[in-house]
Amino acid sequence: MLPFRIIDRIKFIVERQLVKGAGFQLLVVAAFIALISLIGGLLVVPLGESFGDVGSAIWWAFLRLTDPGYLGDDVGTWQRFVSTMLTVSGYVVFMGTLVAILTRWLIAKMADLERGLTPVTLKNHVVVLGWTSQTLPLLSELLNSSGRMRRFLEKHDTQKLNLVVLSQDASAEQVHELRSEPGIGRRARRIILRSGSAIQPDALHRVACLDAAAVIVPSAAHEAGSLVTSDVETVKALLSIAAQARQFQSPLPYVVAEIQDVRKHPVIERAYPGAVEVVAGDATISRLIVQNILHPGLSEIFNELLTAGEGNEIYVRGGESVAGLSLGELASTRPGVIVLGLLRRRGNDWDVRLVAPSDTRIEADDRVIMMARDYSETEPNARLPALPEINLKQARRTARNETPRSQRVLVLGWNRRVPSLVAEFASYRHLDFQVDLVSVVPAQEREQAIDRYVEEFTKVRCHHIEADYMVEGELRRLTPSGYDTVILLSSDRLASGEEADARAMVGYLQLEDILAETSKRPQLIMELSDPDNRHLLYGHQSEMLISPMILSHVLAQVALRRELRAVLDELFTVGGAEIQFRSPADYPLPASVDFQLLEKILAADGEIALGVYRSVPDATGCHLILNPPRKAYLDIQSGDQLVVLCLTC
């Protein structure tokens, strides 16, 4: 074995001290300063007439090392030479190295602060666990839900909304994204970023989950075939929150969790013993797509009711202040509101009663379901005249005679949502769906994914085609005009939502060119992943669903009003109440009808009028007029349809 050299050992010891941080680095520099001062003092000790003792000589050397201003006071050649060398060493060791260490330490500290590693000291705030494609629209929803947010803050006895977001790596770039988001802008300072993963207990403590009024867990995208899915992370995060609550003997916060696989719902409830609402993201979008197939044009209603911005939303109000009134009496005092029904307690759950008769009495524990343009319209306003009371009869269930029993559906693309989509097709047992699935993903892999998700789908005939719809020749061979519906899915196998949407939009443009050569045009439904792409295809002829915007709206509104999830599940699943389009010829309408009279005529059949779907779009490309003013004449034209809420078989 070769012996170690002394110089190598010294260098190794110095290195081990320097890597320990700024404090140890300063100690090393202080040692060098002391050593240089000692050597400099010893070099001038022989000049006895100038220095009384060794201590004075060392002090003289230290002053020259740290302050070059003393250099002109020295006399004699040797003293000036030693003083000059000390001053030069001072520039290098004392000034240069010391400033470099302190600057580097300060930059590192600033970087740590920007990353958000310090635990927040907040109470009754809202925590969002994860930075995904849904985070920005989710935060925008929360910041813009003024009425609901005010009630939420009053319920938790707090004055100011604070939002805390846990991101894998919080950075200045994300702060810039927050400030650039149209619905956030300057209000970005009300959003606090913290670094960490939702599956790390320390990160959950960093965002003060146990002190939060609500914790929202959006679903994140994962690589295809990964064993660690978003649902696994969600369950781990809920287990960590529950473990921290047991450790600190603290009450569990209210959690809204999104899962991809609806079958994991019981697992979530077992993992988290506190108040939790589960939003099945894949199942929700699949339900909307299938309902859109059954009722073409329904996407405009979804995009109005389930996304932020102008238009109507669904609100749930407590029955305490209106207990004793009937639904009809309540509706007459809210001119800008359409009363859809109520929620009634059934043990620990809710009984959803949409299209309830107008003579139904509201109890204090009930929740009234309303549709309005703004939260303020759901509150009483004595300055507005009351409307005549409408007598909504007991709703009778109607069959979907207008829906063809056999549907040919062409699905272009593949993502994790397809098995859920097939399961949703199978839930409509009175209909026969033939689904052709086109993707570059091997057919065997797709079949296995569907078999694992759907236990029984014999009525749904799935045919797998291995092809790339981006190739025009392969797309033409599919003969898309021969289908009733063509669905373009945004892939989850690409690096980002922008790339996935770019592929879907290029496929759509190619599809339009092919369909322009045929006389028959199928219904086109396009799913996008990036909210920023919603304005790119202006004037498009497809029906567009932007999954992150819809899911972020649902997560935000369920966080603010827990009962809303039961309403949405009832409204957008097979059976129960549904939003449908009806021909005006089915009703005894006069030549000129306003919306108030339309409500009265439909109420006699046990249905709720919601608005009109125009056959010809307006200047903005919109067909839908939802909840128009009561006195507004509808001017129904040929091809227009009525939008109604009714009970279905």
Side-chain angles (χ1 to χ4, degrees):
M1 181 180 293
L2 295 176
F4 291 112
R5 294 186 303 169
I6 297 298
I7 187 65
D8 290 335
R9 185 175 295 275
I10 294 174
K11 287 169 62 177
F12 176 74
I13 294 174
V14 171
E15 175 198 326
R16 297 305 301 162
Q17 300 305 313
L18 290 176
V19 298
K20 291 182 179 179
F24 288 92
Q25 292 168 1
L26 290 175
L27 287 176
V28 172
V29 172
F32 271 107
I33 291 173
L35 179 62
I36 294 172
S37 300
L38 176 62
I39 295 173
L42 294 176
L43 289 175
V44 296
V45 164
L47 304 176
E49 64 277 6
S50 300
F51 306 98
D53 53 22
V54 175
S56 299
I58 294 174
W59 177 249
W60 172 88
F62 177 76
L63 292 178
R64 270 61 183 171
L65 181 67
T66 57
D67 187 357
Y70 288 101
L71 190 60
D73 297 340
D74 298 318
V75 295
T77 302
W78 178 248
Q79 188 175 352
R80 288 174 178 172
F81 174 78
V82 174
S83 178
T84 301
M85 299 307 298
L86 289 172
T87 302
V88 172
S89 301
Y91 277 118
V92 175
V93 178
F94 186 78
M95 297 292 293
T97 309
L98 189 62
V99 170
I101 292 172
L102 292 177
T103 302
R104 186 176 177 182
W105 172 80
L106 183 59
I107 292 173
K109 282 298 180 183
M110 293 297 293
D112 287 343
L113 291 176
E114 288 181 354
R115 290 178 57 200
L117 299 176
T118 306
V120 301
T121 56
L122 298 173
K123 287 183 178 293
N124 295 324
H125 54 294
V126 178
V127 174
V128 179
L129 296 180
W131 185 277
T132 69
S133 60
Q134 297 168 207
T135 302
L136 290 178
L138 174 60
L139 297 174
S140 179
E141 283 274 358
L142 292 170
L143 290 171
N144 289 287
S145 300
S146 56
R148 280 179 171 145
M149 185 58 68
R150 184 175 64 253
R151 186 202 64 84
F152 179 82
L153 296 176
E154 290 173 354
K155 177 182 176 181
H156 292 90
D157 194 24
T158 185
Q159 300 296 323
K160 183 180 179 182
L161 170 65
N162 289 301
L163 298 173
V164 181
V165 180
L166 182 65
S167 173
Q168 186 69 41
D169 290 299
S171 64
E173 180 182 352
Q174 291 176 339
V175 174
H176 176 72
E177 289 184 44
L178 290 171
R179 292 174 179 169
S180 302
E181 181 69 15
I184 300 177
R186 295 182 178 179
R187 290 180 291 182
R189 57 179 172 269
R190 294 163 61 180
I191 301 172
I192 302 169
L193 293 177
R194 286 293 177 266
S195 290
S197 172
I199 62 176
Q200 298 171 341
D202 290 344
L204 297 176
H205 173 70
R206 196 173 296 144
V207 295
C209 272
L210 297 183
D211 294 321
V215 178
I216 304 175
V217 190
S219 180
H222 282 268
E223 294 182 2
S226 173
L227 296 178
V228 181
T229 65
S230 179
D231 291 349
V232 172
E233 289 194 355
T234 299
V235 172
K236 174 64 164 58
L238 296 181
L239 289 172
S240 297
I241 296 174
Q244 285 186 356
R246 289 193 301 269
Q247 179 183 354
F248 296 104
Q249 298 183 348
S250 174
L252 288 166
Y254 167 52
V255 171
V256 179
E258 180 194 354
I259 58 175
Q260 297 174 0
D261 188 347
V262 69
R263 298 171 299 175
K264 298 293 192 301
H265 194 157
V267 178
I268 296 291
E269 293 182 339
R270 284 197 296 270
Y272 193 74
V276 59
E277 290 293 337
V278 179
V279 176
D282 289 355
T284 298
I285 300 300
S286 298
R287 291 167 185 167
L288 299 184
I289 290 176
V290 175
Q291 287 211 1
N292 212 157
I293 293 174
L294 301 178
H295 309 292
L298 211 56
S299 63
E300 282 200 32
I301 297 177
F302 298 153
N303 289 330
E304 179 165 338
L305 294 180
L306 300 179
T307 58
E310 298 181 359
N312 292 268
E313 292 186 29
I314 297 175
Y315 296 94
V316 176
R317 296 298 305 263
E320 304 87 358
S321 60
V322 293
L325 295 177
S326 68
L327 290 178
E329 292 169 343
L330 175 66
S332 67
T333 61
R334 308 291 196 278
V337 167
I338 298 178
V339 177
L340 305 180
L342 53 78
L343 294 165
R344 183 152 287 172
R345 282 284 184 187
R346 186 176 58 192
N348 295 327
D349 208 345
W350 292 98
D351 180 19
V352 185
R353 302 185 181 183
L354 290 170
V355 203
S358 57
D359 58 359
T360 304
R361 293 290 168 181
I362 304 171
E363 300 177 3
D365 289 339
D366 291 345
R367 303 288 186 267
V368 183
I369 308 167
M370 307 177 183
M371 186 176 75
R373 296 177 189 84
D374 190 76
Y375 186 84
S376 60
E377 293 183 346
T378 65
E379 299 176 343
N381 191 338
R383 293 176 296 178
L384 297 176
L387 298 172
E389 189 174 336
I390 293 177
N391 184 22
L392 176 64
K393 302 292 186 180
Q394 178 69 41
R396 60 176 184 271
R397 296 185 178 271
T398 59
R400 304 178 183 84
N401 295 326
E402 71 281 0
T403 303
R405 294 193 60 84
S406 179
Q407 293 270 332
R408 291 194 69 209
V409 180
L410 176 64
V411 179
L412 300 178
W414 175 268
N415 59 30
R416 67 171 191 272
R417 194 167 290 127
V418 175
S420 173
L421 184 61
V422 174
E424 189 63 22
F425 283 131
S427 68
Y428 289 80
R429 299 186 179 276
H430 63 289
L431 298 177
D432 180 26
F433 288 98
Q434 177 184 334
V435 183
D436 289 347
L437 301 166
V438 180
S439 174
V440 295
V441 178
Q444 184 179 0
E445 180 180 339
R446 288 182 273 158
E447 289 176 355
Q448 290 176 350
I450 294 175
D451 290 343
R452 285 195 295 264
Y453 192 96
V454 186
E455 296 179 358
E456 180 184 358
F457 60 97
T458 54
K459 289 185 67 64
V460 181
R461 291 171 291 165
C462 292
H463 178 216
H464 295 274
I465 303 172
E466 291 191 28
D468 186 358
Y469 68 85
M470 293 287 288
V471 179
E472 184 178 353
E474 296 188 12
L475 186 58
R476 285 184 180 275
R477 282 193 290 272
L478 296 172
T479 318
S481 60
Y483 292 86
D484 300 298
T485 303
V486 178
I487 304 174
L488 287 118
L489 296 178
S490 180
S491 174
D492 56 3
R493 292 175 174 251
L494 298 179
S496 64
E498 294 92 335
E499 295 178 5
D501 288 356
R503 182 178 172 85
M505 288 187 287
V506 171
Y508 163 74
L509 294 175
Q510 287 190 153
L511 189 60
E512 285 287 0
D513 289 340
I514 295 173
L515 294 177
E517 303 170 2
T518 63
S519 58
K520 181 185 175 184
R521 179 183 177 85
Q523 177 193 16
L524 299 183
I525 301 175
M526 181 164 53
E527 180 205 10
L528 297 181
S529 298
D530 187 0
D532 293 335
N533 293 328
R534 58 188 180 272
H535 302 304
L536 294 183
L537 294 178
Y538 179 77
H540 61 87
Q541 300 183 57
S542 70
E543 300 195 52
M544 185 182 298
L545 294 174
I546 304 175
S547 304
M549 292 188 67
I550 292 174
L551 294 175
S552 63
H553 177 90
V554 173
L555 290 171
Q557 301 309 324
V558 171
L560 298 179
R561 191 76 192 197
R562 182 178 180 181
E563 301 88 344
L564 188 62
R565 186 195 61 82
V567 178
L568 298 179
D569 284 349
E570 170 70 15
L571 196 56
F572 300 121
T573 50
V574 58
E578 275 189 7
I579 298 175
Q580 293 188 3
F581 296 112
R582 296 290 176 83
S583 172
D586 296 341
Y587 304 91
L589 301 180
S592 181
V593 60
D594 59 18
F595 186 62
Q596 185 174 341
L597 179 57
L598 180 66
E599 278 189 308
K600 182 178 179 181
I601 294 173
L602 267 64
D605 282 351
E607 298 173 348
I608 298 177
L610 301 180
V612 178
Y613 188 86
R614 301 290 190 192
S615 60
V616 179
D618 59 17
T620 63
C622 182
H623 296 261
L624 183 66
I625 302 176
L626 209 59
N627 188 19
R630 293 304 197 278
K631 294 299 182 180
Y633 283 94
L634 301 179
D635 189 24
I636 297 176
Q637 303 294 322
S638 175
D640 291 350
Q641 294 179 293
L642 305 179
V643 185
V644 304
L645 179 65
C646 59
L647 296 182
T648 60
C649 298

